């Protein structure tokens, strides 16, 4: 059995030439099998695998540095993805109007498996569909056209930056609301300032009128009033 195992190891793993020295020594001194087999297995599964790993990494780095091929592959992926999104848009657009409403978008997210998978990849759930609709509807028409649907979803599915985009959108919306509120408050304050100025002019005119009227009428001073009070 030992001789058969040694022959199998020499034929399958080590190779026939390995037996010129190692096999006679092992047959004479069986304990040396640990040395020969250990060194061989170390070379086969250690050093050779390390060399293969270095070669593979070198070619992987060379492929990664080939920017032109990467760009072409990316363009092909984007083109195929746009075709898939065009088909997805037609499936979601039930009335065939070429435009999606918010209700159609929500219904498509509920019943279309491909759309569900895409939303899951972009980490978008049902609560975010309203915000997604507002972000895609760039012209604020209340409906989403095919170009508005295909472009953003194709980019967002590849760059995996959906969460920062939602945060950016919310920040921009907040900044826009702040600007609108500032303009509205500024207009209100200007209108209020004009009214205050008008009231001030009216009061001044009234005071002058009263002073003129009092100056023409004789002023009676009550008796018992000190001169300082007059």
């Amino acid at each position: 059995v030992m001789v058969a195992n040694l022959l199998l190891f020499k034929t399958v793993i080590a190779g026939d030439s390995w037996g010129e020295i190692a096999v006679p020594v092992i047959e004479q001194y069986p304990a040396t099998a640990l040395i020969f087999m250990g060194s061989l297995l170390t070379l086969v599964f250690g050093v050779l695998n390390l060399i293969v790993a270095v070669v593979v990494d070198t070619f992987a780095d060379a492929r990664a540095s080939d920017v032109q091929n990467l760009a072409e592959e990316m363009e092909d992926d984007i083109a195929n993805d746009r075709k898939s999104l065009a088909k997805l848009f037609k499936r979601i657009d039930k009335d065939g109007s070429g435009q999606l409403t918010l209700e159609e978008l929500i219904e498509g997210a509920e019943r279309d498996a491909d759309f569900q998978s895409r939303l899951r990849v972009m980490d978008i759930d049902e609560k975010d569909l309203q915000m997604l609709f507002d972000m895609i509807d760039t012209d604020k028409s209340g409906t989403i056209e095919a170009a508005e649907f295909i472009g953003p979803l194709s980019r967002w599915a590849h760059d995996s930056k959906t969460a920062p985009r939602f945060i950016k959108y919310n920040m921009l919306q907040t900044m826009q609301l702040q600007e609108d509120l500032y303009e509205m408050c500024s207009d209100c304050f200007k209108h209020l300032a004009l009214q205050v100025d008008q009231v001030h002019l009216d009061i001044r005119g009234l005071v002058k009128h009263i002073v003129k009227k009092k100056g023409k009428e004789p002023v009676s001073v009550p008796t018992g009033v000190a001169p300082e009070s007059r």
Side-chain angles (χ1 to χ4, degrees):
V1 175
M2 181 63 185
V3 173
N5 290 332
L6 184 60
L7 178 63
L8 180 64
F9 183 84
K10 178 185 70 172
T11 304
V12 176
I13 299 178
D16 292 335
S17 61
W18 186 73
E20 294 180 358
I21 297 176
V23 172
V25 174
I26 293 174
E27 289 177 349
Q28 188 68 28
Y29 303 99
T32 58
L34 297 175
I35 300 174
F36 286 105
M37 293 182 180
S39 60
L40 179 63
L41 292 176
T42 301
L43 291 175
V44 171
F45 296 104
V47 178
L48 293 182
N49 284 343
L50 178 62
I51 294 173
V52 172
V54 171
V55 173
V56 171
D57 289 340
T58 302
F59 281 101
D61 293 338
R63 183 177 182 275
S65 61
D66 193 354
V67 180
Q68 183 176 0
N69 288 336
L70 289 176
E72 292 177 356
E73 292 178 0
M74 185 178 298
E75 290 295 331
D76 292 338
D77 293 339
I78 293 176
N80 294 330
D81 191 55
R82 285 178 175 272
K83 293 179 181 179
S84 300
L85 285 172
K87 296 178 181 179
L88 176 61
F89 182 86
K90 292 181 179 179
R91 291 200 304 269
I92 298 177
D93 185 17
K94 296 181 63 177
D95 56 0
S97 62
Q99 295 177 341
L100 290 180
T101 61
L102 178 60
E103 291 75 14
E104 289 177 334
L105 185 70
I106 296 175
E107 186 178 355
E110 293 176 351
R111 62 183 177 86
D112 194 282
D114 293 339
F115 194 30
Q116 292 175 357
S117 301
R118 184 174 293 273
L119 293 177
R120 192 178 301 111
V121 169
M122 294 189 297
D123 195 17
I124 298 175
D125 53 16
E126 296 179 357
K127 300 178 181 179
D128 301 326
L129 290 177
Q130 175 67 52
M131 189 182 303
L132 176 65
F133 184 86
D134 294 336
M135 294 174 65
I136 296 177
D137 185 18
T138 55
D139 56 359
K140 304 303 178 183
S141 61
T143 57
I144 299 175
E145 298 179 357
E148 294 176 333
F149 180 82
I150 295 173
L153 292 185
S154 178
R155 294 193 305 270
W156 298 351
H158 286 84
D159 58 14
S160 300
K161 296 179 181 178
T162 306
R165 289 182 184 277
F166 274 69
I167 296 173
K168 180 180 178 181
Y169 176 78
N170 287 328
M171 291 182 63
L172 292 176
Q173 290 295 108
T174 303
M175 293 174 63
Q176 184 64 38
L177 290 176
Q178 289 179 349
E179 292 179 359
D180 296 340
L181 181 61
Y182 175 79
E183 293 178 358
M184 182 178 66
C185 292
S186 178
D187 294 338
C188 291
F189 281 122
K190 288 180 181 179
H191 182 67
L192 181 61
L194 292 175
Q195 289 183 345
V196 171
D197 292 339
Q198 184 63 38
V199 171
H200 178 67
L201 293 175
D202 294 341
I203 292 175
R204 288 185 62 183
L206 181 61
V207 170
K208 289 181 180 179
H209 178 71
I210 294 174
V211 171
K212 288 180 180 180
K213 186 176 180 181
K214 290 292 184 180
K216 294 179 181 180
E217 297 178 357
V219 179
S220 61
V221 180
T223 60
V225 178
E228 296 82 2
S229 301
R230 300 177 187 177

